[in-house]
Amino acid sequence: MQFSVLLSVYKNEKPEYLRLALQSIAAQTLQPDEIVIVKDGGLTQALDAVIDDFAAKQQNVRVLPFAQNRGLGLALRDGVEACNYEYIARMDTDDIALPDRFARQMAYLEQHQDIALLGSWITEFSQDADKPDTITKLPCTHEAILSYAKKRNPFRHMTVVFKKSAVITSGNYRDFLWFEDYDLWVRILQQGYKVANMPEVLVNVRAGEEMFARRGGWRYLKQEVRFQRALYERGFIGLENYANNVFVRIAIRLVPNKVRIFVYKKILRRTVR
């Protein structure tokens, strides 16, 4: 099956991280038919150089430049519409895909053509990609994912492959800061599409102190409460779920970052042994 890979880049990202992410795509045992890179606003010379170098080596790269930074949701919305193939694999610009990620996922989708959205487990690293700290194991069956989604995000964005038609029918990505992916997954579920996670690690995710810091503070909490309210208003969760979800998030978002890191790594994740 033919498929696209979709990435979005903006000016504050680190060139060395982007280079490693792109190299992990180039090293795949199954190569995509196209790689669509969205430039979400003007980039630094260093980021442009990384993209230009990659495009010179990979003949199937298409770059979509936009003059203004509009945010991830709107950048990915245009990226989805620009992709030429029904299956689209997402990739973040600072994570490392394992060499057989695309081969494993496309083989699964070949055998399960009713699946519209497929993710996987991840490992997370803070310093060395070859020495991950924790592993995130998510529910794998449609029913388990549907239940889990009422409390937490059931997919890791950088692992998913989805059907373009299902995403478009569900309203595509929207401008919902920090929750662009979760917002889309819920709408896909509410449309009745079948989803799954593969019970294996296919992406190694960068998770340093900066990432956890971004998940704290009043601004993040206010946006998260807004998202939970949206889930309630569209009938995806009930009032009890809404109240419980908000209560838990208040505790996590307002504690010091060191405490938040402890909660994520020691309670919400499993240590890699």
Side-chain angles (χ1 to χ4, degrees):
M1 295 190 298
Q2 293 178 302
F3 70 102
S4 308
V5 174
L6 175 61
L7 308 92
S8 176
V9 187
Y10 84 114
K11 66 179 181 179
N12 290 345
E13 300 186 50
K14 296 185 178 181
E16 60 269 30
Y17 293 173
L18 175 61
R19 181 178 290 106
L20 290 172
L22 294 175
Q23 286 175 353
S24 77
I25 296 175
Q28 290 293 304
T29 58
L30 176 65
Q31 284 294 300
D33 295 278
E34 69 173 356
I35 302 166
V36 176
I37 302 176
V38 180
K39 291 185 179 181
D40 187 17
L43 305 181
T44 64
Q45 288 185 345
L47 285 169
D48 277 328
V50 171
I51 294 173
D52 291 344
D53 180 63
F54 181 69
K57 296 174 182 176
Q58 296 277 134
Q59 300 303 311
N60 58 350
V61 176
R62 295 171 53 217
V63 178
L64 302 180
F66 291 94
Q68 293 183 336
N69 172 253
R70 299 171 299 154
L72 183 62
L74 298 183
L76 292 179
R77 180 196 66 186
D78 290 344
V80 165
E81 292 176 352
C83 286
N84 287 314
Y85 301 105
E86 169 69 344
Y87 287 100
I88 301 174
R90 273 284 291 121
M91 182 72 190
D92 277 352
T93 51
D94 55 358
D95 301 323
I96 312 295
L98 274 61
D100 61 347
R101 176 201 163 181
F102 296 155
R104 299 286 296 165
Q105 289 185 301
M106 297 311 295
Y108 183 98
L109 290 168
E110 182 75 48
Q111 297 174 1
H112 304 84
Q113 296 190 20
D114 60 327
I115 297 297
L117 171 61
L118 176 68
S120 78
W121 295 350
I122 63 168
T123 49
E124 294 181 333
F125 68 96
S126 52
Q127 299 294 331
D128 187 346
D130 294 323
K131 297 178 181 179
D133 307 314
T134 59
I135 184 171
T136 298
K137 295 183 177 182
L138 294 164
C140 296
T141 67
H142 177 87
E143 293 74 17
I145 289 170
L146 181 59
S147 176
Y148 189 89
K150 297 179 186 300
K151 298 179 181 179
R152 297 178 62 192
N153 191 334
F155 294 97
R156 291 298 174 264
H157 200 180
M158 70 294 294
T159 73
V160 300
V161 181
F162 49 68
K163 290 182 178 179
K164 177 178 178 178
S165 58
V167 168
I168 296 294
T169 301
S170 301
N172 208 337
Y173 284 96
R174 303 190 301 189
D175 182 19
F176 209 128
L177 181 64
W178 298 317
F179 298 93
E180 301 91 350
D181 57 333
Y182 198 170
D183 174 58
L184 177 58
W185 312 153
V186 169
R187 285 183 281 118
I188 288 174
L189 286 166
Q190 289 190 301
Q191 286 289 325
Y193 287 108
K194 292 268 290 185
V195 303
N197 273 311
M198 295 183 69
E200 53 188 289
V201 172
L202 295 179
V203 182
N204 201 358
V205 175
R206 196 177 300 275
E209 289 189 13
E210 291 181 2
M211 186 200 78
F212 294 105
R214 290 195 299 269
R215 295 184 179 182
W218 279 106
R219 186 173 177 227
Y220 193 98
L221 176 60
K222 288 178 182 178
Q223 185 72 348
E224 193 159 34
V225 171
R226 175 177 169 243
F227 177 67
Q228 290 296 322
R229 185 170 63 249
L231 296 186
Y232 172 69
E233 290 174 348
R234 71 177 66 151
F236 187 70
I237 61 174
L239 185 59
E240 183 177 355
N241 263 137
Y242 170 72
N244 288 339
N245 290 348
V246 169
F247 177 78
V248 169
R249 282 155 175 79
I250 289 173
I252 294 176
R253 302 312 171 203
L254 299 184
V255 297
N257 197 43
K258 289 185 178 180
V259 177
R260 186 163 40 253
I261 292 173
F262 177 84
V263 170
Y264 271 99
K265 291 195 172 186
K266 301 300 182 181
I267 299 176
L268 302 179
R269 307 283 196 268
R270 298 184 183 182
T271 303
V272 176
R273 302 189 185 281

